[in-house]
């Protein structure tokens, strides 16, 4: 399995009754694949994993695997703040036929670094599916340190990390320590769209992207140019996409992304509370940005 490139942290479409809209979800998957993404992620943070039930999570993973049908890499969101619960979710991801499971660091309970390492070790030892660790301290309240990432990277089935800590000095230290510890075949993916280019310059191999829900082809072009060493083209595209990357976090995600898709003619439904639709003021800002890109 090759994790290089652009992988989309997909939104989850809901119908007028607030249930999973399978038809819209399948349409979104086709839209993304037709626009040259390398992989798709179901039930991540952007997919409102915090407010969907486990049954709904399983449903959208199954839809993703079925609709992708081997055309791109499929990643199943499978994390929890309880290790036993994460075990069940990773087990389901494995049985679903997904290519990999994305496992967030346990949140809220702020475990020790040893607890974080043991969490991933237990999942590694009990499953065969490739696991992508997900470090996003701004949401979880805990940061997987460089030493812990290196320790986790030594596990056979933990093949990558989605790193959403924006500290590029930490990233430089991570690549330095991976090399010193002879850890090979471990992939680092950007968890922040706007930092994808500098992260690739340091050694990352791609991104799990929010902006790619809206402009998948352009995000893919930027990442591919960076991976090919075409700095001028990748920098131009990164600069070009910055306003979109920025505005999609003008309020709580995925509210701006879902609104953008609706404005573009893809009605993906509402949001699960406590996330609300964006304000009128920010909606006007979002529309101006989308007009700049001729998306509406």
């Amino acid at each position: 399995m090759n994790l290089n490139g652009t992988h989309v942290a997909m939104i989850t479409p809901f119908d007028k009754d607030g249930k999973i809209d399978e038809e819209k979800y399948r349409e979104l998957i086709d839209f993304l694949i037709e626009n040259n993404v390398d992989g798709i992620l179901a039930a991540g943070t952007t997919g409102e994993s915090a407010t969907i039930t486990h049954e709904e999570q399983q449903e959208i993973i199954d839809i993703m695997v079925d609709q992708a049908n081997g055309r791109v890499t499929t990643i199943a969101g499978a994390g929890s703040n309880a290790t036993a619960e994460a075990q069940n979710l990773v087990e389901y991801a494995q049985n679903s036929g997904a290519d990999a499971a994305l496992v967030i660091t346990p949140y809220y309970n702020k475990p020790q670094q040893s607890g974080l390492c043991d969490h991933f070790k237990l999942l590694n030892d009990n499953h065969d599916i490739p696991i992508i660790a997900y470090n996003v301290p701004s949401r979880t309240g805990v940061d997987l340190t460089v030493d812990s990432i290196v320790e986790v990277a030594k596990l056979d089935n933990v093949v990558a990390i989605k790193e959403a800590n924006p500290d590029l000095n930490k990233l430089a230290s991570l690549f330095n320590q991976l090399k010193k510890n002879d850890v090979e075949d471990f992939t680092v993916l950007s968890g922040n769209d706007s930092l994808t280019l500098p992260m690739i310059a340091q050694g990352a191999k791609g991104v799990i992207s929010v902006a790619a829900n809206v402009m998948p082809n352009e995000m893919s072009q930027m990442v591919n140019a960076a991976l090919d060493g075409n700095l001028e083209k990748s920098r131009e595209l990164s600069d070009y996409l910055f306003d979109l990357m920025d505005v999609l976090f003008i309020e709580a995600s995925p509210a701006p992304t879902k609104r953008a898709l609706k404005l573009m003619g893809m009605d993906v439904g509402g949001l699960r509370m406590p996330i609300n639709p964006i304000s009128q003021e920010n909606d006007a800002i979002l529309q101006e940005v989308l007009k700049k890109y001729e998306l509406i």
Side-chain angles (χ1 to χ4, degrees), residues 14-228:
F14 298 122
D15 63 21
K16 58 183 176 57
D17 297 318
K19 300 184 183 301
I20 305 297
D21 191 327
E22 179 175 344
E23 181 180 352
K24 293 293 183 185
Y25 203 52
R26 291 182 182 274
E27 288 176 4
L28 176 64
I29 290 168
D30 284 343
F31 166 71
L32 297 173
I33 294 175
E34 289 163 6
N35 280 277
N36 303 313
V37 303
D38 299 288
I40 50 178
L41 162 67
T45 305
T46 309
E48 298 177 78
S49 57
T51 50
I52 60 175
T53 66
H54 287 167
E55 290 76 18
E56 289 173 322
Q57 188 168 350
Q58 293 168 1
E59 179 184 352
I60 62 174
I61 289 170
D62 287 340
I63 295 169
M64 172 187 68
V65 172
D66 180 67
Q67 191 66 21
N69 194 28
R71 292 179 288 169
V72 294
T73 299
T74 52
I75 306 169
S80 172
N81 64 325
T83 302
E85 197 169 77
Q87 285 253 71
N88 293 332
L89 293 171
V90 172
E91 181 77 16
Y92 191 88
Q94 178 173 295
N95 293 336
S96 74
D99 293 309
L102 182 77
V103 178
I104 196 168
T105 54
Y107 42 85
Y108 186 77
N109 43 26
K110 293 187 177 181
Q112 314 96 315
Q113 291 297 312
S114 61
L116 294 171
C117 291
D118 286 347
H119 175 82
F120 284 104
K121 185 177 188 306
L122 188 66
L123 297 176
N124 172 85
D125 292 349
N126 286 280
H127 300 93
D128 295 323
I129 188 172
I131 293 171
I132 304 169
Y134 179 18
N135 187 48
V136 55
S138 64
R139 288 184 179 270
T140 62
V142 65
D143 186 21
L144 203 59
T145 66
V146 169
D147 287 345
S148 294
I149 296 172
V150 171
E151 197 64 30
V152 167
K154 293 176 181 177
L155 299 169
D156 290 341
N157 294 321
V158 181
V159 299
I161 185 168
K162 177 186 177 183
E163 178 58 88
N165 183 330
D167 184 353
L168 293 179
N169 188 64
K170 177 193 175 186
L171 187 71
S173 176
L174 172 60
F175 283 116
N176 178 268
Q177 290 302 312
L178 288 171
K179 184 176 181 179
K180 285 182 177 179
N181 283 271
D182 296 319
V183 178
E184 300 178 352
D185 299 324
F186 184 74
T187 301
V188 176
L189 298 170
S190 171
N192 296 297
D193 281 318
S194 62
L195 292 180
T196 300
L197 177 55
M199 287 184 69
I200 289 176
Q202 287 188 306
K205 296 300 183 183
V207 63
I208 297 181
S209 170
V210 175
N213 280 283
V214 178
M215 296 184 72
N217 191 50
E218 291 80 359
M219 279 296 300
S220 294
Q221 288 181 36
M222 186 270 286
V223 170
N224 290 339
L227 292 173
D228 289 342

